[in-house]
Amino acid sequence: MKEILLACVGKPSAGKSSFLNAVSDATAKVGNYPFTTIKPNHGVSYVPVECPCKKYGKQDQCRPRYGRCVEGTRFVPIQMMDVAGLVPGASTGLGLGNQFLDDLRHANALIHVVDVSGTTDQNGKEAEGYDPINDINWLRLEIHTWITNNLLKRWSGIVRRHVAIKSNVVDTLQTQFSGYGSVASVVQKAMDKSGIKTPLETWDEETVKKVVDNFMDVRFPTVIALNKIDMPDSDKNITKIMRKYDQNKLVLTSALAENFLRKIRKQNYIKYIDGTDIVETKEDLPDSDLKPMDDKLKNRVEKVQDLVLFRYGSTGVQEVLGKAIELLGVSPVYPVKNVSTFSSTNSTKPGAFRDCILVWPGTTVRGFAKILHAEIDKYYLYAETVGNMRLSEEAVINNSNNVICYRTAIAISSKSSITNNDTNNNTPDKKSKK
Ligand SMILES: Nc1nc2c(ncn2[C@@H]2O[C@H](COP(=O)(O)OP(=O)(O)O)[C@@H](O)[C@H]2O)c(=O)[nH]1
Ligand SMILES: [Mg+2]
């Protein structure tokens, strides 16, 4: 499938590369100075979703083709991008300028990594008592200015054409916004949200800005990761920000703590369960094969526990991805060839719930057939879910019908399954238009 792409944005030294390291396999370069990562860096991460293997007692047989499943929590691959070098003034060419903004066009959602410690200024230079609220504001403003300027530059031409061809507002705007990976339904939502009813040819600059504001909300859902919560001054900044912003979009993180825990877990000093505050050492598990730690390392672990794990419950990095998926509204679907064994083949070969695909909200049973394979759509007979219950073609896929088996008029070779079909249309760009 075409993976979901999340873009990590934020000022230099906010902790983007560290965050990416903490959630992915790719090794983004880490450094304490601006522009470490000149080229946008793509990596793979895994988002946790509920796997039906638990509900149906198939945990032992659950064999994800991609990602993994840990006791009923399925980790589904998504793509992450490091958008480095975004500084105030980027929309007018400062820093590495528009190049970074252009990268955003491919992202489904943004993760704004904010240094909540107040120890770096808006350019990532060392500072004291800097207010991170500035960063939340200027970054949004840069993206806003970038989109607005692109629009205003051509405004008179846009209006002339709009009037000449008697177009409607959504179509006219969609023509302009398609470059940002938008579709008509996104523009429609943005217009509904903005409540603007006046004809486009009468809009002033303020109205255009309002439209862009709403477009941004719909097109680029953003999770704000308040990073560096382990640092001394973070507390008071967190309280301030929590009061001011939608808490539903805020997550507290320490990328540093997560990377540290992962590192010493790999070195076999601790057992650590991602996304929790559970860290066990040789002292906790004397019979385990864990290595004993010296006092220095012990102290560091205790510090991470005191400053991060016990105070906030986890390092927060997993939660950021979960939140992004939640904001996008995507949900997992599990196509199977047998609704009793949940296997992907018609044989009795073990291996349940091999495939898991994230789909956009509103995806129907028939729509998903198309996403899986053109031939399944072409030779479609019917679809069924657990208990051999038939599903209507128009049924919207949800948590209770997301294990789906398709019956087709001819056998569709398992070789031509979803897994090697990259040309499917499971992107928001092709979402059904209103
Ligand atoms: N204390 C602390 N430092 C962090 C954290 N995350 C990143 N850093 C440090 O901040 C600096 C910049 O991090 P980096 O990931 O290179 O930032 P980027 O420029 O946004 O990619 C490095 O020295 C990191 O070790 C964190 O959660 N806590
Ligand atoms: Mg970086």
Side-chain angles (χ1 to χ4, degrees), residues 80-91:
M80 302 283 296
M81 170 167 58
D82 188 349
V83 182
L86 202 51
V87 293
S91 60

Side-chain angles (χ1 to χ4, degrees), residues 351-412:
F353 302 114
R354 297 275 290 154
D355 300 299
C356 172
I357 291 170
L358 297 172
V359 297
W360 298 97
T363 302
T364 61
V365 167
R366 186 63 185 252
F368 185 60
K370 272 186 211 143
I371 290 169
L372 279 182
H373 201 278
E375 302 236 305
I376 296 182
D377 181 49
K378 190 172 171 191
Y379 298 106
Y380 187 95
L381 289 179
Y382 64 91
E384 57 183 4
T385 188
V386 187
N388 298 95
M389 252 183 25
R390 291 243 184 151
L391 294 169
S392 144
E393 282 183 42
E394 287 85 39
V396 169
I397 299 178
N398 60 44
N399 259 340
S400 68
N401 65 6
N402 66 351
V403 176
I404 302 183
C405 170
Y406 288 104
R407 300 287 171 210
T408 45
I410 62 162
I412 311 290

